[in-house]
């Protein structure tokens, strides 16, 4: 299964949408690395996981900067979601084995966590996107 930014997940803000694409890409790469059980040179599981985590941090920061700049009324709840999301992602990635493929449970936890992000995009991020558009930030 590949995650992708389908039309219904577009927020209308070009930066947010293109960062969501990179995020889904990183999630797909991590799941591919899981499937291969690859832990040797190149983008292995640990490196792919670190990239995903760093990118999530960077992307959430960008979204929060935009919200602050435009005084978005959902800022506090939105940040709370981001903080919790980052924490759970760290917990999941901390559970990665140094060698060999991750457990089935860990893979399904990660999938669930990506689905949580999709729900977040469909609701909070899309509301934010509409608001930003109304402020001329596209
Ligand atoms: Fe968000």
């Amino acid at each position: 299964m590949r995650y992708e930014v389908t039309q219904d997940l577009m927020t209308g803000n070009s930066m947010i949408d293109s960062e969501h694409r990179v995020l889904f890409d990183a999630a797909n790469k991590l799941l591919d690395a899981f499937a291969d059980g690859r832990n040797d040179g190149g983008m292995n599981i640990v490196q792919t996981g670190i990239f995903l985590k760093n990118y999530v941090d960077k992307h959430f920061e960008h979204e929060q900067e935009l919200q602050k700049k435009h005084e978005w009324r959902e800022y506090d709840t939105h940040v709370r979601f981001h903080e919790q999301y980052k924490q759970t992602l760290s917990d999941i990635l901390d559970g990665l084995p140094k060698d060999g493929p991750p457990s089935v449970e860990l893979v399904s936890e990660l999938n669930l966590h990506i689905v949580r992000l999709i729900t977040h995009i469909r609701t909070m991020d899309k509301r934010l996107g509409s608001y930003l558009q109304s402020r001329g930030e596209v």
Side-chain angles (χ1 to χ4, degrees):
M1 137 135 214
R2 317 281 307 170
Y3 292 104
E4 58 176 326
V5 180
T6 44
Q7 201 56 39
D8 61 316
L9 295 180
M10 300 283 281
T11 66
N13 181 273
S14 54
M15 183 190 74
I16 294 177
D17 288 333
S18 68
E19 290 187 355
H20 284 163
R21 264 182 228 110
V22 179
L23 261 182
F24 282 21
D25 230 53
N28 288 328
K29 280 203 181 97
L30 182 58
L31 291 165
D32 284 348
F34 282 1
D36 294 355
R38 220 170 30 209
N39 248 329
D40 50 9
M43 282 290 265
N44 64 28
I45 292 177
V46 173
Q47 285 170 319
T48 315
I50 291 170
F51 177 83
L52 175 65
K53 190 187 170 316
N54 289 341
Y55 199 82
V56 165
D57 288 356
K58 189 170 105 174
H59 166 63
F60 283 177
E61 254 170 57
H62 287 160
E63 271 189 8
Q64 288 169 203
E65 277 164 19
L66 277 174
Q67 293 177 58
K68 230 189 209 160
K69 178 177 168 200
H70 292 283
E71 300 176 310
W72 177 225
R73 61 183 154 81
E74 291 183 9
Y75 179 79
D76 290 344
T77 37
H78 204 133
V79 171
R80 215 171 303 136
F81 174 88
H82 284 173
E83 288 305 320
Q84 262 168 10
Y85 196 88
K86 288 194 287 185
Q87 184 56 56
T88 308
L89 181 62
S90 283
D91 292 344
I92 293 171
L93 296 176
D94 283 347
L96 281 176
K98 291 277 167 281
D99 270 304
S103 65
V104 175
E105 288 77 16
L106 192 128
V107 176
S108 76
E109 247 185 277
L110 180 68
N111 274 295
L112 254 175
H113 204 49
I114 298 167
V115 171
R116 239 174 255 141
L117 180 67
I118 292 173
T119 306
H120 170 78
I121 292 173
R122 209 189 295 282
T123 53
M124 285 190 159
D125 285 353
K126 281 187 78 166
R127 282 200 296 274
L128 170 63
S130 305
Y131 173 69
L132 291 173
Q133 268 181 310
S134 78
R135 305 264 306 184
E137 181 88 55
V138 291

